[in-house]
Amino acid sequence: MAEEQSTFTHGVVRIFPDGLLYPGTTPRFLNRIQSFKSGTTWMQEILWTMLFNPNLDNPQATQLLLVRSASISVDMMFDTVKLEELNLESMYEALKKLCPGKNVEDGVGVQCLDAMPGQRVIKCHYPLDLMPPDLLDKTKVVYVARNPKDMVGSYYHFYKVIKKIYYKGSMDTFMKLFMDKDVVFCPYWPHIKQAWQKRNHPNLQFVFYEDLKADPQEEIRKLNQFLATGLTEQQLKNVVHHTSFSSMKSRGDPMPDNGLYNQELHQTTGGFYRKGVIGDWKNHFSQELNQEMDKWIKENIGDSSIPFKMD
């Protein structure tokens, strides 16, 4: 792993057989998740709004998204910084309320989700192989996939603004690290292929980011059927409007100014909701880099025939 990203407090670990590169605290939290009884930030907000705020009148909607719908992988993601350095009062208050007497160091997201009553919307960055083996027998899973060119561009900008990583290398260098499986949360292909192979499972909805961007009403209509939420046409329109890129951006970052971001760079690059467009990779890739990535995609996509839309 490159020096520019070697800032995780507990180092990093490789998880085999796929060689997944994750923060060093991951095994500790995976042990909890494997016994847990149970997409992107955009999908997270869409699903929460569909289930709990279709009329746009739920007062809880003003809470941070991470409080309303915590991430099961959020604790290991904070391994770049000591918890006491983060301004996460809202999450700590949720932990105190749901899990009185519990220790923050044992995980905020995992413990809150474990204690939440009733129906929950849970976000996770882990591949299916790291989740409970009976996950799809008990849970509805919405998997969001984005074309690898735009995804890695978005990830590059995210890496640059995280204060404790503060990646200073070029996009070309980052891309090569990404393709060589030397960026944390890589490799890309085993993750997406595991979900693609299960795309016809009745409890898994495979969603392409590009389709959601091109026709959000149609994709949310499909989710309405998949989740059996029974929303009316007006409620579907409410969800589409409330979860549009412009609406979410106007409400601000889903995380507070908590010491996690380099705020100056964060704001100059567009904040958490940076662009949300399809084909932005064209503004950043050199011809040589694009050719390298095309070759990498061809070598790895194999016979899976995942129908990516690059622009």
Side-chain angles (χ1 to χ4, degrees):
M1 187 176 70
E3 182 179 351
E4 293 98 325
Q5 57 168 330
S6 59
T7 55
F8 287 87
T9 306
H10 297 91
V12 293
V13 294
R14 287 273 185 196
I15 303 174
F16 291 94
D18 294 320
L20 301 164
L21 188 64
Y22 278 79
T25 52
T26 300
R28 179 161 66 97
F29 291 114
L30 276 179
N31 290 336
R32 292 286 306 278
I33 293 167
Q34 288 293 332
S35 60
F36 204 78
K37 308 298 187 294
S38 34
T40 66
T41 302
W42 187 15
M43 181 59 72
Q44 187 182 13
E45 185 70 90
I46 287 172
L47 296 178
W48 192 90
T49 304
M50 290 181 72
L51 290 167
F52 303 113
N53 193 28
N55 296 318
L56 306 184
D57 57 0
N58 188 335
Q60 291 184 351
T62 59
Q63 295 177 344
L64 286 175
L65 183 56
L66 273 176
V67 173
R68 292 182 276 126
S69 167
S71 169
I72 206 170
S73 50
V74 70
D75 298 297
M76 62 90 179
M77 292 179 70
F78 284 152
D79 190 53
T80 54
V81 58
K82 294 179 180 178
L83 285 172
E84 59 267 22
E85 293 179 9
L86 293 175
N87 178 21
L88 296 173
E89 282 85 356
S90 54
M91 291 185 68
Y92 293 160
E93 287 302 316
L95 179 65
K96 290 177 184 177
K97 181 179 178 181
L98 291 166
C99 313
K102 295 291 186 179
N103 189 346
V104 170
E105 298 300 328
D106 291 330
V108 177
V110 170
Q111 292 187 105
C112 282
L113 286 167
D114 206 10
M116 280 182 180
Q119 202 170 31
R120 296 164 295 176
V121 176
I122 301 172
K123 177 180 176 179
C124 183
H125 292 288
Y126 292 127
L128 290 176
D129 277 2
L130 294 186
M131 300 303 291
D134 60 351
L135 178 72
L136 290 176
D137 297 329
K138 299 180 177 181
T139 311
K140 293 279 190 179
V141 175
V142 179
Y143 186 95
V144 181
R146 191 175 187 181
N147 81 69
K149 292 184 179 180
D150 278 332
M151 191 281 293
V152 73
S154 178
Y155 197 18
Y156 164 73
H157 286 284
F158 182 74
Y159 241 63
K160 286 178 68 177
V161 301
I162 297 296
K163 187 182 292 185
K164 293 292 180 176
I165 298 178
Y166 196 17
Y167 177 78
K168 301 180 181 65
S170 68
M171 175 171 275
D172 282 30
T173 300
F174 185 85
M175 285 280 295
K176 288 170 183 174
L177 287 169
F178 179 82
M179 289 188 285
D180 289 339
K181 309 174 187 178
D182 279 334
V183 174
V184 175
F185 309 121
C186 284
Y188 173 85
W189 292 106
H191 199 306
I192 194 170
K193 284 182 176 180
Q194 288 168 25
W196 184 247
Q197 288 167 2
K198 297 181 184 296
R199 66 191 181 279
N200 295 320
H201 192 289
N203 279 342
L204 189 141
Q205 183 80 352
F206 195 104
V207 179
F208 285 102
Y209 178 96
E210 293 76 19
D211 291 340
L212 189 59
K213 184 72 178 175
D215 193 348
Q217 182 130 344
E218 176 60 22
E219 293 305 310
I220 290 173
R221 195 182 304 279
K222 292 176 184 176
L223 289 170
N224 188 35
Q225 183 176 359
F226 172 68
L227 298 171
T229 38
L231 302 188
T232 65
E233 284 299 310
Q234 183 56 54
Q235 288 174 325
L236 288 172
K237 289 178 181 178
N238 290 345
V239 175
V240 171
H241 172 73
H242 187 70
T243 62
S244 68
F245 186 84
S246 58
S247 291
M248 290 181 66
K249 190 175 179 70
S250 71
R251 294 195 294 272
D253 287 0
M255 289 285 290
D257 182 0
N258 57 12
L260 187 62
Y261 301 128
N262 179 308
Q263 284 298 324
E264 182 179 355
L265 187 59
H266 188 46
Q267 295 306 320
T268 57
T269 57
F272 187 91
Y273 303 111
R274 197 173 56 87
K275 288 187 177 180
V277 298
I278 303 167
D280 187 51
W281 60 269
K282 295 178 182 179
N283 298 317
H284 305 285
F285 283 24
S286 64
Q287 184 177 355
E288 179 185 356
L289 188 61
N290 188 42
Q291 290 174 347
E292 282 188 52
M293 191 150 206
D294 281 342
K295 180 182 177 183
W296 176 77
I297 292 171
K298 185 177 181 179
E299 289 173 348
N300 285 279
I301 201 168
D303 59 1
S304 65
S305 302
I306 303 173
F308 290 118
K309 297 178 177 71
M310 299 297 179
D311 49 35

